[in-house]
Amino acid sequence: MLDLNTVRGRVPVGIVLSLLCSATVAAQTPTCLVPKGQPQRVWGGEVRELFALREPVTNRRLVWSAEEGGRIARSINGGQTWTYASTPSTVRNALLDVYFLDGRKGWAVGLDGAVLQSTDAGATWGVLPVSPAAACAASFPNLAGSTLWSVHFIDDLRGWIAGEHVFIYTQDGGATWCSVNVTDSVGAPLNPSDFEAYAIDVLVESSGSLRGLCAIEKRAGRNAIVLATDDGVNWHEVDSYLTHNGSGSAVAPDGFEAWDVEFDPSSTSIASAKAWLVGGDGGGRFYASTDGGTTWRREHALNSTNPACNGSDPVPCEIPSQNVVRTLYGTAALGGDEVLAVGYGGVRYRRVPDANSGTGYKWADETRRCEFSMPLIAAAAIDSSNAWIGGTDGYLRFTSDGGVSWTDQRASADGIGVRVFDVAFATDSDGWIVGTEGRIIGTADSGCTWTRENDDRCSTPGGEVLNAVSAMANAAGMQAVAVGNLGAVYALSVSPSGARQWLRFVVNTTGNPTPPSYFDVDDVDTPALPNSKVFWAVGTDAVIRSTTSGTTWAAVPNAPTGFSFTGVAMLSRNEGFLVGTSNANNAPAFFTIRNALTTPLFTQIFPVLPVGASLTTPRAIEAEGTGTGTPALTNAVAYVVGDGGMVLAWNAANSTFEGVPGVFQPGSPNNATTADLTAVDLVPGAGRVVAGGTFGFLLEFPVGGGSFTTPRSNTSKSVRGLDYRNIGLGYILAQTSNSPDPGTNQADGTVLVQY
């Protein structure tokens, strides 16, 4: 039950690739996609929670996943195939939990106080209004903007929702709600404002008696505790410090966070019910209870081959320090004392018998770090054999043998384990995404499948990050170039048989011993010269150009110095634009380029802003020529986007950039957004501009401005790259901010979404 920017924990940043395609241009729709009329994830993503059950009548294995971007996926055949549900357009942030009472009725909760309900097995979802009962209204929490971590129902009437400063229950099927009553270990009231509740599980005996457990983080001291209840209304603190192997010594220090708790599904008696709790804060911990959650003992990931491990003291049995347990976010009880746990860094543990452990069991580390090293967040099981685990980067795997072996249930490139920063397509079918570890991942079928195309991750220079990619296709074939830090430049080479190879170069024209970082690259396609594929790349004190399809590069004469350029947009081989910031004071900088074929002339220009607007850091630029002549500054359409919702358009008559009317008007109802905008694209042949920004924000408006819409992107990550092929087919790449905190809204994951 973790948030990855709201995991409750510390997780890296995230990625999203979205595909937008319209049903109106079926000829351009990839064969793997079925138009739905809204953005549709078809690859990657961020699986925040999983829920699975076996349908009583049909015996089908039903599985649901709650995901970022307000998405819910479901499978009715054990995960062999998945479809995305219809969720409300107003739900745009991460859903953090999903729960089904049976094969028909279910609930989901998440960020921004989202509470959803389905009555058709999760095919469609609607907003469930949460209203307090009259007697509870005075003390009822405000759910607007709240982070809701967990939802659980035991029948059609009784259920609970838990989250940040929220712990409420219903006894009438969700028509009305009240806050539960909570007391600490000495019986004193515990106010919801003093804790954050992360996970709920409830065991109901055949007699109807119930025992509920809730894992919470107490704000005072930030120590994890467990709440228990026998009536669902009154909850009390149990075993506040979670004992160490039954010895009674305190082992849950300040900072420990309990992310998930679950009863053993084979337990039938509350008094002897088994339960497990996992969590951590920098290091992971396992806890077990054999009395319905009244008391807890710590368990360990053990190395029972250590001669000092004699079963009485677990400390010598712990795994070596270099393999210390990472923070654990999710657990799934298989029954029969066997349990799965997953967490940060792709760690995966299975509780298995071990005679030397002192408890008869150990947590075996079955992590495959070379296979996947991003956070795993979710786990769910139907029985002792069938279980699913999921997490960032679209990772979703299934086991039919209790966790001994796993199979991938998503596209073959899911789980690529890198962060991705840009996307570009040369044709409607052929495209690439690029990112950390010098990774280049390509598709030849419009994004249905993806393949790693350059060197294995272990052979690329450490720390290499590719920031941008540009691609083109003409009568002479297709070409692409990717650029990044450490002076890295990759050029695509396509053999006569169609095989792709990427050639790596280090380009340093600055005279400095350390190669520059390149942040953007743009292609210049000249139809009259199809064999002359020109690319420009820009970065820190660097403006370079290739006239040989990216295989040789040279510094562009007369280029401005003392700037970090974040964007380049070439209209032709002769004219274009540069944007960036001054190295001296970070002041925004804008330049036009003329005479590039002879003696390049760079002219700094100063945008004209609306009243009340401030010039902010420019993050991206896109430009194209109009009319039938050679594209030039005099006939250009160009847009720059930046921090604080800045949207500027090129005014050819005045030779400057200006605020877009009806879109960028700070202080006015016509101002589109204050979100930081990080990507922009012109939709070919449509007269439309699309910009993307933080938390999946999309902005669309006609060339010239005047009005705007904010389409749903189906991701809550920050847009980093846009590439629209036409009005019916486009791609969005989104990446979480650099804050490595899964407890703050987002984590990692790559997503392809259909529009």
Side-chain angles (χ1 to χ4, degrees):
M1 313 250 41
L2 140 182
D3 163 306
L4 276 151
N5 238 0
T6 312
V7 159
R8 313 158 313 221
R10 310 289 174 264
V11 171
V13 294
I15 311 156
V16 172
L17 178 63
S18 303
L19 168 63
L20 304 173
C21 61
S22 165
T24 61
V25 283
Q28 302 295 340
T29 302
T31 57
C32 65
L33 307 179
V34 179
K36 300 290 186 182
Q38 64 174 342
Q40 185 81 0
R41 176 269 175 215
V42 295
W43 180 69
E46 185 181 312
V47 178
R48 306 301 294 265
E49 191 54 278
L50 292 161
F51 186 81
L53 59 79
R54 191 177 293 278
E55 196 172 40
V57 177
T58 65
N59 205 36
R60 294 185 303 178
R61 295 170 301 166
L62 307 181
V63 195
W64 297 266
S65 68
E67 306 188 12
E68 49 81 33
R71 302 189 308 271
I72 298 176
R74 69 167 184 154
S75 173
I76 60 174
N77 53 17
Q80 297 178 44
T81 58
W82 292 81
T83 59
Y84 273 87
S86 173
T87 55
S89 61
T90 54
V91 179
R92 301 191 176 193
N93 220 324
L95 294 172
L96 305 178
D97 195 18
V98 59
Y99 185 87
F100 272 78
L101 186 62
D102 49 35
R104 302 293 298 173
K105 196 168 187 177
W107 298 263
V109 297
L111 297 179
D112 298 330
V115 181
L116 307 182
Q117 184 179 43
S118 174
T119 57
D120 58 5
T124 61
W125 295 79
V127 172
L128 176 64
V130 177
S131 302
C136 307
S139 60
F140 198 75
N142 181 5
L143 297 192
S146 296
T147 297
L148 303 179
W149 287 110
S150 184
V151 59
H152 193 100
F153 274 73
I154 58 173
D155 54 37
D156 286 336
L157 299 178
R158 293 176 293 173
W160 298 263
I161 292 175
E164 185 176 17
H165 312 316
V166 175
F167 195 0
I168 59 177
Y169 73 97
T170 181
Q171 294 181 327
D172 55 16
T176 61
W177 298 77
C178 289
S179 292
V180 303
N181 302 316
V182 182
T183 55
D184 64 16
S185 56
V186 296
L190 192 60
N191 193 297
S193 63
D194 295 329
F195 64 82
E196 185 165 6
Y198 293 136
I200 308 168
D201 200 12
V202 181
L203 174 67
V204 182
E205 290 183 341
S206 59
S207 65
S209 298
L210 68 84
R211 168 58 63 92
L213 298 176
C214 181
I216 76 169
E217 174 193 347
K218 216 173 180 180
R219 288 303 183 192
R222 295 188 67 225
N223 56 318
I225 64 175
V226 177
L227 301 179
T229 184
D230 295 317
D231 61 9
V233 176
N234 300 290
W235 295 69
H236 60 278
E237 180 180 338
V238 297
D239 212 355
S240 178
Y241 291 100
L242 304 178
T243 58
H244 178 286
N245 200 36
S247 65
S249 58
V251 294
D254 289 353
F256 174 76
E257 297 169 296
W259 300 142
D260 205 4
V261 63
E262 187 160 331
F263 279 110
D264 188 314
S266 61
S267 295
T268 57
S269 168
I270 291 174
S272 60
K274 298 173 182 177
W276 286 270
L277 178 144
V278 298
D281 195 355
R285 293 172 181 265
F286 311 89
Y287 292 95
S289 173
T290 57
D291 56 10
T294 301
T295 60
W296 297 82
R297 70 177 185 278
R298 186 178 176 188
E299 295 189 334
H300 296 263
L302 304 180
N303 177 12
S304 58
T305 61
N306 184 345
C309 181
N310 57 21
S312 61
D313 181 3
V315 175
C317 307
E318 292 193 40
I319 56 178
S321 59
Q322 65 266 31
N323 294 322
V324 67
V325 179
R326 303 278 189 98
T327 297
L328 302 166
Y329 298 127
T331 186
L334 303 175
D337 289 316
E338 295 196 8
V339 191
L340 302 174
V342 297
Y344 187 87
V347 297
R348 194 171 71 214
Y349 289 88
R350 187 163 60 101
R351 189 176 187 267
V352 298
D354 188 277
N356 292 322
S357 68
T359 63
Y361 286 84
K362 72 174 181 180
W363 289 84
D365 185 354
E366 299 183 345
T367 305
R368 302 292 183 268
R369 289 182 176 83
C370 285
E371 169 192 291
F372 188 77
S373 59
M374 295 297 187
L376 292 177
I377 310 166
I382 287 178
D383 50 37
S384 60
S385 299
N386 297 275
W388 292 259
I389 56 176
T392 59
D393 213 23
Y395 191 100
L396 181 56
R397 296 203 172 184
F398 166 70
T399 179
S400 60
D401 54 18
V404 176
S405 61
W406 296 86
T407 57
D408 196 348
Q409 289 198 329
R410 289 236 164 132
S412 59
D414 282 7
I416 55 175
V418 296
R419 301 181 181 95
V420 185
F421 296 107
D422 199 14
V423 57
F425 274 70
T427 69
D428 288 349
S429 300
D430 301 281
W432 297 268
I433 53 178
V434 299
T436 58
E437 298 178 9
R439 185 60 51 79
I440 301 173
I441 306 160
T443 180
D445 56 10
S446 301
C448 295
T449 59
W450 295 80
T451 305
R452 301 171 183 175
E453 290 191 355
N454 62 335
D455 292 340
D456 180 79
R457 63 192 299 177
C458 296
S459 64
T460 56
E464 183 171 283
V465 176
L466 297 180
N467 296 311
V469 60
S470 184
M472 69 163 83
N474 57 27
M478 64 183 181
Q479 183 58 39
V481 169
V483 299
N485 68 345
L486 306 175
V489 176
Y490 287 80
L492 175 68
S493 174
V494 182
S495 72
S497 65
R500 300 175 181 179
Q501 180 183 8
W502 288 85
L503 308 176
R504 182 180 183 275
F505 307 92
V506 175
V507 180
N508 185 3
T509 61
T510 65
N512 298 322
T514 302
S517 291
Y518 297 108
F519 299 116
D520 197 19
V521 59
D522 194 27
D523 59 84
V524 184
D525 186 13
T526 306
L529 301 169
N531 291 308
S532 177
K533 296 183 174 69
V534 177
F535 289 84
W536 284 57
V538 298
T540 305
D541 271 328
V543 180
I544 60 175
R545 173 176 54 188
S546 172
T547 58
T548 58
S549 299
T551 57
T552 60
W553 294 81
V556 178
N558 304 325
T561 59
F563 296 90
S564 290
F565 291 109
T566 54
V568 56
M570 297 303 298
L571 298 162
S572 66
R573 301 175 70 194
N574 203 42
E575 297 189 357
F577 300 93
L578 292 178
V579 297
T581 57
S582 166
N583 293 339
N585 56 14
N586 291 321
F590 302 76
F591 290 86
T592 57
I593 305 169
R594 292 181 173 86
N595 305 327
L597 289 172
T598 54
T599 304
L601 174 64
F602 295 83
T603 304
Q604 187 168 5
I605 57 177
F606 299 90
V608 177
L609 301 179
V611 175
S614 299
L615 200 61
T616 62
T617 300
R619 299 295 180 183
I621 182 171
E622 184 68 14
E624 64 180 27
T626 60
T628 58
T630 300
L633 294 171
T634 54
N635 62 17
V637 172
Y639 286 86
V640 177
V641 297
D643 292 353
M646 183 179 73
V647 185
L648 305 178
W650 174 247
N651 186 323
N654 296 333
S655 296
T656 190
F657 283 98
E658 299 177 350
V660 177
V663 177
F664 181 51
Q665 295 180 239
S668 163
N670 295 325
N671 193 60
T673 182
T674 58
D676 292 342
L677 299 176
T678 49
V680 63
D681 198 21
L682 293 162
V683 183
R688 306 290 294 179
V689 184
V690 179
T694 52
F695 298 106
F697 180 81
L698 281 185
L699 173 65
E700 184 177 343
F701 56 91
V703 169
S707 63
F708 64 87
T709 60
T710 56
R712 183 185 184 188
S713 67
N714 227 7
T715 177
S716 47
K717 299 183 185 299
S718 298
V719 177
R720 292 293 300 267
L722 293 168
D723 191 351
Y724 277 75
R725 306 300 303 164
N726 52 53
I727 189 61
L729 182 64
Y731 298 82
I732 300 175
L733 190 75
Q735 167 74 43
T736 308
S737 65
N738 291 327
S739 172
D741 186 350
T744 50
N745 264 351
Q746 306 172 44
D748 290 321
T750 304
V751 159
L752 187 63
V753 176
Q754 179 186 4
Y755 192 66

